[in-house]
Amino acid sequence: MYQATLSRRSYRFSDLRQLMAKASPARSGDYLAEVAADSAEERMAARIALAEVPLKTFLQQLLVPYEQDEVTRLIIDSHDALAFAPISHLTVGDFRDWLLSEQADSAMLAQVAPGITPEMAAAVSKLMRNQDLILVAKKCRVITRFRNTIGLPGHLSVRLQPNHPTDSLQGIAASMLDGLLYGSGDAVVGINPASDSLPLLEKLNYMLNDVIQRFAIPTQSCVLTHVTNTLRLIERGAPVDLVFQSIAGTEAANSGFGINLALLAEAQQAALSLNRGTLGNNVMYFETGQGSCLSSNAHHGVDQQTCEARAYAVARHFSPLLINTVVGFIGPEYLYDGKQIIRAGLEDHFCGKLLGLPLGCDVCYTNHAEADQDDMDTLLTLLATAGLTFLIGVPGADDIMLNYQSTSFHDALYIRELLGLKHAPEFADWLTKMQITDDLGRLRDTAANHPLLLALQGEQP
C-alpha cells in the first residue's frame, strides 16, 4: 500500500502497478484501459508517493509476474547489480535529482545503464517535466555501427522510407533516389512492404543491395517484414543487412506479433552469419510504440508508457543498430492529441537513451488524431535538441502506403541547419564525393546528368 496526502485528502494506491499508472501524465490509452488517475490532484498525489519509492523496490515488486512473462524474466535475470550499485541507495525522487546533476555525466550514465530497469526509467520519467527529459537524454551517448557510425554527438541520421502502396520497384527507386539527393538515408534505407510475398520481398532486398553496392553508399538496407520472412530470405541467400521486427513490452503482446525471445535470437544469429557489416555487427532494427500492449489487451494492468519502456529491455538484449518509437502511429485511442504525442515522444526517447539504446523516433500522427504538422515540428525540434539518434524521411512527409503523416526530407534539412547537426561521418564523405553536398555539408543543386538521376532513367552513369 502506498499513500500520500494532498489538500487534506489522503490518497491510497494498492500496489506499485497502480501507483505507476496513476502517476502517469494524462493520456487516452490509460483512460481506455481504466488505469489512469481520476483527477490532476490524484495524479500529483501518486507522484508524491512514487518519489519516495526506493529504486530497489522495482527488483522486488514486479509489475508483470515473473512466472507468466519472459520479458519480466529477461529484465530480472539480466540485471547488472554492479552497474546498479552507484544508484542502488536512491529513491525515484533522488534518482531524478541525480540524473539532473553534473555528477551524472555521459560516462556515468553509460556506466549505470545496464543496472537501470525499464520500470525504474519509466518511474523517474513520470516525475519529470519535458525540459528534464530533454536535458538528461542529451547527456546519454549511444553509438552503433554496421556500414557507418550512428549516434555520435552533434550528429543526426535519417531513415529513408521510400514506401509504395503497390510495392512498385520503380516507385520505390524514385523515392529512394529522391531521398539520397536530399542527403537522407544514413540510418537505413528501410521499406515497409505492402505485401508478404516472399519473391517480392526478395526482389526488394536485391534492388536495395544493388543501389548501395553500385554507388558504394556507406549505409544499410532493411525490408521491414516479419522476422520469420526475413529468416526465409536469409535461407534463400538474399542480401539481408538488418533484421526488423516490431516488439512490445510483455510476452503476451509479443505473442500477438508472432514472436518470442528465442525467435529474435535465431534471427540475430542468422544475420550475423552473413557478415555483411563493414564497421560493426549491430544487425537488428526494432520499432515500438505506446499502446501496443493495451491494443492487444496484453498489458497486465500496467500503464502504456511503462509497457513501452519494457519493450526497450527486449531491444537492449539484442544490441540493435536502430530502434525507434512510432510515437503517434497507433492512433488517438492511445495518444489523443499533439500534446500527448509530444510528451510521449520525449518520454520514449528519454527512457530508451537511459537504458543504453540508439533511440530514434518516427515523429508522426494519424489523420484522425487531434494533431497537425505544427505539432510534429515542435516534437522534432525538441527531440533533436535532446540528441535524437535518427528520424524518418518520407517524401512530402506523407506516407502513401501506411496512410499516416511523418517527417520529410526537407524536415531533416531544417533541423540540421537549425542545430548544426551532421550526417553519419562516412555517409557525409560519400555525399561530398557524389557532389550532393559541398565541403561544408550544405546541399548542392543537382544537375540533370547526376549519376543517381541517370540510374533512375535506366542509363549507365
Side-chain angles (χ1 to χ4, degrees), residues 262-320:
L263 180 60
L264 294 177
E266 179 186 353
Q268 182 186 37
Q269 290 306 309
L272 287 171
S273 72
L274 300 179
N275 198 31
R276 293 178 57 81
T278 55
L279 296 183
N281 60 0
N282 299 113
V283 297
M284 305 298 282
Y285 175 21
F286 296 117
E287 281 189 344
T288 66
Q290 288 194 29
S292 58
C293 290
L294 274 66
S295 65
S296 58
N297 195 28
H299 58 97
H300 295 269
V302 177
D303 66 271
Q304 68 179 37
Q305 189 253 334
T306 301
C307 286
E308 170 74 4
R310 284 170 54 90
Y312 302 155
V314 176
R316 180 167 64 175
H317 185 64
F318 296 101
S319 303

Side-chain angles (χ1 to χ4, degrees), residues 25 66 84 92 104 122 164 166 191 248-249 270 281 362 433 435 439 442:
Y66 183 93
F84 182 56
V92 177
H164 193 278
T166 64
I191 301 170
N281 60 0
D362 190 346
K433 179 182 176 181
Q435 298 186 4
D439 292 338
R442 298 173 300 196

Side-chain angles (χ1 to χ4, degrees), residues 63-113:
L63 304 189
V64 181
Y66 183 93
E67 298 79 9
Q68 300 176 17
D69 189 88
E70 69 172 359
V71 177
T72 298
R73 293 193 292 274
L74 174 67
I75 292 168
I76 297 302
D77 295 348
S78 64
H79 182 251
D80 190 329
L82 186 62
F84 182 56
I87 58 173
S88 62
H89 62 290
L90 300 177
T91 65
V92 177
D94 294 333
F95 188 34
R96 172 190 176 275
D97 294 342
W98 180 82
L99 288 170
L100 292 168
S101 72
E102 293 182 0
Q103 181 183 353
D105 58 14
S106 297
M108 178 58 74
L109 289 171
Q111 178 184 325
V112 302

Side-chain angles (χ1 to χ4, degrees), residues 30-312:
D30 287 338
Y31 286 115
L32 185 65
E34 299 181 341
V35 300
D38 294 329
S39 66
E41 185 172 287
E42 184 183 31
R43 183 173 299 112
M44 183 54 66
R47 290 174 180 172
I48 291 171
L50 181 60
E52 299 301 318
V53 175
L55 292 180
K56 291 179 180 178
T57 303
F58 292 96
L59 300 173
Q60 301 158 357
Q61 298 181 26
L62 307 182
L63 304 189
V64 181
Y66 183 93
E67 298 79 9
Q68 300 176 17
D69 189 88
E70 69 172 359
V71 177
T72 298
R73 293 193 292 274
L74 174 67
I75 292 168
I76 297 302
D77 295 348
S78 64
H79 182 251
D80 190 329
L82 186 62
F84 182 56
I87 58 173
S88 62
H89 62 290
L90 300 177
T91 65
V92 177
D94 294 333
F95 188 34
R96 172 190 176 275
D97 294 342
W98 180 82
L99 288 170
L100 292 168
S101 72
E102 293 182 0
Q103 181 183 353
D105 58 14
S106 297
M108 178 58 74
L109 289 171
Q111 178 184 325
V112 302
I116 301 172
T117 69
E119 291 84 356
M120 295 175 193
V124 75
S125 75
K126 298 176 192 301
L127 305 185
M128 290 181 150
R129 292 171 55 186
N130 287 357
Q131 64 175 251
D132 301 334
L133 298 173
I134 293 168
L135 185 60
V136 175
K138 180 73 171 180
K139 297 191 287 185
C140 297
R141 301 279 183 258
V142 183
I143 298 171
T144 57
R145 294 180 175 89
F146 188 76
R147 291 200 189 99
N148 57 22
T149 306
I150 296 171
L152 293 169
H155 292 66
L156 175 67
S157 295
V158 177
R159 171 189 160 188
L160 203 172
Q161 183 170 299
N163 295 342
H164 193 278
T166 64
D167 289 330
S168 163
L169 297 183
Q170 185 176 14
I172 289 170
S175 293
M176 179 168 58
L177 294 173
D178 184 33
L180 290 170
L181 290 171
Y182 276 108
S184 293
D186 51 342
V188 64
V189 181
I191 301 170
N192 296 94
S195 169
D196 281 333
S197 163
L198 208 63
L200 176 60
L201 298 175
E202 194 168 22
K203 287 181 181 179
L204 292 175
N205 268 282
Y206 276 104
M207 184 196 71
L208 292 174
N209 181 69
D210 177 67
V211 173
I212 289 173
Q213 298 300 324
R214 181 178 177 182
F215 294 100
I217 308 173
T219 191
Q220 38 282 326
S221 67
C222 185
V223 176
L224 282 72
T225 187
H226 193 270
V227 64
T228 53
N229 288 333
T230 304
L231 277 168
R232 294 169 67 191
L233 289 170
I234 293 174
E235 291 170 357
R236 291 164 67 116
V240 172
D241 286 345
L242 305 182
V243 174
F244 167 81
Q245 184 56 48
S246 295
I247 58 173
T250 69
E251 179 179 347
N254 283 324
S255 295
F257 286 143
I259 63 167
N260 54 40
L261 298 180
L263 180 60
L264 294 177
E266 179 186 353
Q268 182 186 37
Q269 290 306 309
L272 287 171
S273 72
L274 300 179
N275 198 31
R276 293 178 57 81
T278 55
L279 296 183
N281 60 0
N282 299 113
V283 297
M284 305 298 282
Y285 175 21
F286 296 117
E287 281 189 344
T288 66
Q290 288 194 29
S292 58
C293 290
L294 274 66
S295 65
S296 58
N297 195 28
H299 58 97
H300 295 269
V302 177
D303 66 271
Q304 68 179 37
Q305 189 253 334
T306 301
C307 286
E308 170 74 4
R310 284 170 54 90
Y312 302 155

